[in-house]
Amino acid sequence: MSDIIQLLPDHVANQIAAGEVVQRPASVVKELLENAIDAKATHIKLIIKEAGKTLIQVIDNGSGMSVTDARLSFERHATSKIKAAEDIFQLDTKGFRGEALASIAAIAHVELKTKQEEDEVGTEINIEGSEVISQEVCVTPKGTSISVKNLFYNIPARRNFLKSNAVELRHIIDEFHRVTMAHHSIKFDMYHNGSEVFNLPITNCRQRIVNIFGGKTNEKLVPVEEETDLVTISGFIGKPEYAKRTRGEQFFFVNNRFIKSPYLNHAVNAAFEGLLKDKAHPSYFVYLTVDPKSIDINIHPTKTEIKFEDEHALYAMLRASIKHSLGQFNVAPVLDFNRDASMDTPYEYKSKTAQTPTIEVDRNFNPFKDEKVSGGSSFSGKSHTSYKKESAGDWENLYVGLESEMTTIKPTENDFSSVEFESAEVTGSLFETDEKKVGHHTTYQLRKKYIVTTIKSGMVIVNQNRAHQRILYEELLRNITMASAVSQQLLFPLILSFTKKEIELLTTVKEQLENTGFVFGELSPGEFEIIGIPSVTSEKEVAQLLEQLISDLESEVPDSGFSQTDLLARSISKSIAVRAGVELASEQQQYMVNSLFACTEPTITPNNKPTFITLTVDEIDKKF
């Protein structure tokens, strides 16, 4: 038998590696931004066209590369970050695997321009599918500019797998957020299709978070600080009242590297225990600094997973430090019956010194001096315009002379003999009898959750929440697709604050939202003004409804128009449907049952769950 094992060519190996490293345009953005940070850049510019499918360009003012380094950087496992295996446990850089540029060059057209500060001219290299097309001298400023064009041009199946531009742009913005929050000492700019999306100047950590997520974020943040031998914890957590239904504002950074850790996320949730509403998620921006020897980053090419040496101790410290911050800033309630809250000193006054109070005294004041009244006489004398109290007299005096006045009125005005009354007899009773009411009461609410009613073959048990979801869903679909919905105008407009990414999401479904009954005012950066809401919703439900909608849009990310409309109707109906535990009047119960069976698909909810069950008389008989 002949030998069948052979070494793969480099360009084939690169394409295979690219499948792990480059999953979508956002992966390219992450790798290029991290390379720019490792090059000690202080200003990084990201330029995107068509959500990265056409162009991803990163320009930095870092150290640049020599001619040899520029050419060698596109080889597999070529890196400047480590030299020996032991260096992996002493990392202070983002990259170290030496796979990113080789993987990107295997599946795209790459143009690199780079120059070191001491060189007079730079180097330009063009690569297509791992093949170097040209390498020549060029004029370029200090630093590196790398352009990635036509991503996945040679892997059509992977290119077709990409989502719409709006979805891919959201993923790019997510990666941009993660990198920029970890490095607030670097200036970042981002442009998409020629328009500026972000302009983040060099600032402190708190201001960088506010610049990314909007001005209203500042009042939501509570600082977290803790320093131990094992870990240094810093950053911010969001106040419990601002908790969201989505997990969009949850960030862990270990040694300035974004990570995902369900275990540490559980520690944060444990610290917030008892402070959050059901299905609400706290916001947090937590920075952990640990000894590089105590962690292992080399788990996955994306480097978002980390293994810790002492995970249990880290869990306990993180939970304790967050609980301490919640208590220190009076965010968590404290049961102290002897404490007078009005005597508490505000936290911001801890460093202020006490000031001597100023007292004003009227030295000319004499309590025994007679004061003149405006009438010209003093209080001791008798006033010219003295007040005389008159008695009201007897109540009979009110009617004195009434008879004489009545005689002067014309007889025709007070002659009731000419007034005609309705002659028809009232046959029915004004109030229905109890017997009649019992006869019409055909529904019964069980445990404030189910509506029980009868049919010819037996009885029906309806789940009130699921039934209302189906009713609202079909009503909303009709409003969006066929008719304009009834809207109620708000006396005072609602102004809700959202991040740029969330506003992008809401803008994609703005037209459908208007068809459901929403009326929007001026859209300012980071804020949504609502001046009208659907008649089926209440004002206090709007913020929760839009948060749920954002969560659904992020998780299902529909592309086609109909699926987007369907998702919108499903999300809104789920948010505003009557909950279990709400008591319904008999008329409401009857309306719910009638409306459910008037639907085109009454048996299931929009999420394919049963809305009711039936029990036939035969099934009931068998029970006996």
Side-chain angles (χ1 to χ4, degrees), residues 500-519:
K500 288 187 179 180
K501 188 179 77 168
E502 290 170 340
I503 286 181
E504 284 279 341
L505 273 173
L506 290 174
T507 307
T508 57
V509 291
K510 183 170 176 279
E511 187 178 343
Q512 288 97 321
L513 282 170
E514 287 172 341
N515 290 338
T516 62
F518 280 98
V519 181

Side-chain angles (χ1 to χ4, degrees), residues 25 43 61 138 182 262 285 324 338-339 383 399 481 499 525 528 561 568:
H43 184 190
N61 63 349
C138 72
F285 312 88
H324 175 68
N338 298 319
R339 184 175 67 90
S383 173
Y399 300 98
T481 54
T499 64
F528 240 58
L568 182 70

Side-chain angles (χ1 to χ4, degrees), residues 438-456:
V438 172
H440 285 293
H441 188 69
T442 58
T443 59
Y444 174 74
Q445 192 178 22
L446 179 65
R447 295 288 180 113
K448 297 182 182 179
K449 186 175 182 181
Y450 303 105
I451 300 170
V452 183
T453 186
T454 56
I455 53 174
K456 287 181 181 179

Side-chain angles (χ1 to χ4, degrees), residues 226-233 289-291 294 309 313-314 317:
E226 196 67 50
E227 189 171 347
T228 66
D229 295 337
L230 181 68
V231 62
T232 301
I233 301 172
T289 306
V290 297
D291 184 0
S294 66
E309 193 174 64
L314 203 61
M317 288 175 188

Side-chain angles (χ1 to χ4, degrees), residues 102-114:
S103 299
I104 292 167
I107 52 168
H109 298 165
V110 179
E111 179 190 90
L112 172 72
K113 290 182 180 180
T114 184

Side-chain angles (χ1 to χ4, degrees), residues 41-70:
T42 58
H43 184 190
I44 300 173
K45 192 180 292 185
L46 172 64
I47 300 169
I48 303 291
K49 284 188 180 175
E50 291 185 23
K53 296 174 186 176
T54 303
L55 172 69
I56 300 169
Q57 185 177 7
V58 172
I59 305 168
D60 67 67
N61 63 349
S63 57
M65 290 182 279
S66 66
V67 179
T68 309
D69 286 348

Side-chain angles (χ1 to χ4, degrees), residues 109-398:
H109 298 165
V110 179
E111 179 190 90
L112 172 72
K113 290 182 180 180
T114 184
K115 185 177 90 73
Q116 292 179 319
E117 191 168 13
E118 61 271 12
D119 294 339
E120 291 185 2
V121 290
T123 306
E124 180 179 346
I125 298 177
N126 287 283
I127 298 179
E128 294 182 7
S130 294
E131 185 181 343
V132 179
I133 305 300
S134 66
Q135 177 174 343
E136 52 193 26
V137 173
C138 72
V139 176
T140 183
K142 176 214 166 191
T144 303
S145 169
I146 183 163
S147 304
V148 179
K149 303 171 186 174
N150 306 323
L151 194 64
F152 298 125
Y153 80 100
N154 52 357
I155 311 177
R158 200 65 178 272
R159 190 170 178 87
N160 293 335
F161 169 76
L162 296 178
K163 304 288 185 185
S164 68
N165 286 358
V167 175
E168 293 299 339
L169 180 63
R170 282 204 302 275
H171 285 286
I172 289 172
I173 290 174
D174 279 343
E175 290 295 348
F176 187 76
H177 284 173
R178 293 166 183 176
V179 173
T180 54
M181 271 193 286
H183 300 277
H184 51 82
S185 59
I186 299 174
K187 184 180 189 301
F188 287 93
D189 296 323
M190 178 178 169
Y191 299 88
H192 180 243
N193 290 343
S195 61
E196 186 182 82
V197 182
F198 287 102
N199 181 3
L200 306 175
I202 296 172
T203 180
N204 58 27
C205 182
R206 185 179 192 125
Q207 193 59 46
R208 174 58 59 91
I209 294 169
V210 171
N211 287 342
I212 291 172
F213 293 101
K216 293 286 180 72
T217 312
N218 192 35
E219 64 193 46
K220 305 175 186 178
L221 300 179
V222 175
V224 179
E225 294 287 342
E226 196 67 50
E227 189 171 347
T228 66
D229 295 337
L230 181 68
V231 62
T232 301
I233 301 172
S234 62
F236 302 91
I237 52 173
K239 293 178 182 175
E241 61 264 32
Y242 296 108
K244 295 191 171 186
R245 287 182 162 268
T246 60
R247 298 178 183 269
E249 294 181 7
Q250 295 186 340
F251 297 89
F252 277 120
F253 300 93
V254 175
N255 295 353
N256 283 339
R257 184 192 302 276
F258 172 78
I259 66 154
K260 294 177 181 176
S261 175
Y263 187 65
L264 295 182
N265 179 65
H266 190 275
V268 178
N269 288 333
F272 276 91
E273 190 176 4
L275 298 175
L276 299 177
K277 297 177 184 175
D278 187 33
K279 294 181 181 178
H281 304 288
S283 301
Y284 56 80
F285 312 88
V286 178
Y287 298 79
L288 308 175
T289 306
V290 297
D291 184 0
K293 292 180 182 177
S294 66
I295 57 174
D296 184 8
I297 304 166
N298 195 23
I299 308 297
H300 190 272
T302 57
K303 300 184 279 291
T304 55
E305 295 178 37
I306 286 184
K307 294 294 182 191
F308 294 94
E309 193 174 64
D310 195 352
E311 213 167 21
H312 298 293
L314 203 61
Y315 180 100
M317 288 175 188
L318 182 61
R319 180 173 173 270
S321 61
I322 290 176
K323 277 187 94 67
H324 175 68
S325 287
L326 289 170
Q328 183 183 14
F329 292 94
N330 287 334
V331 176
V334 180
L335 283 176
D336 185 357
F337 298 104
N338 298 319
R339 184 175 67 90
D340 185 1
S342 62
M343 301 294 289
D344 288 350
T345 305
Y347 191 77
E348 59 267 19
Y349 281 78
K350 66 182 178 66
S351 57
K352 288 190 176 182
T353 56
Q355 295 179 350
T356 307
T358 56
I359 302 171
E360 292 183 4
V361 179
D362 183 7
R363 300 188 183 279
N364 297 323
F365 176 71
N366 184 357
F368 305 105
K369 186 180 178 182
D370 289 342
E371 294 184 12
K372 298 290 182 181
V373 187
S374 58
S377 61
S378 66
F379 282 108
S380 57
K382 190 176 180 180
S383 173
H384 295 294
T385 56
S386 60
Y387 174 72
K388 182 183 177 183
K389 187 176 180 182
E390 296 181 2
S391 61
D394 297 330
W395 62 271
E396 291 91 344
N397 294 339
L398 295 172

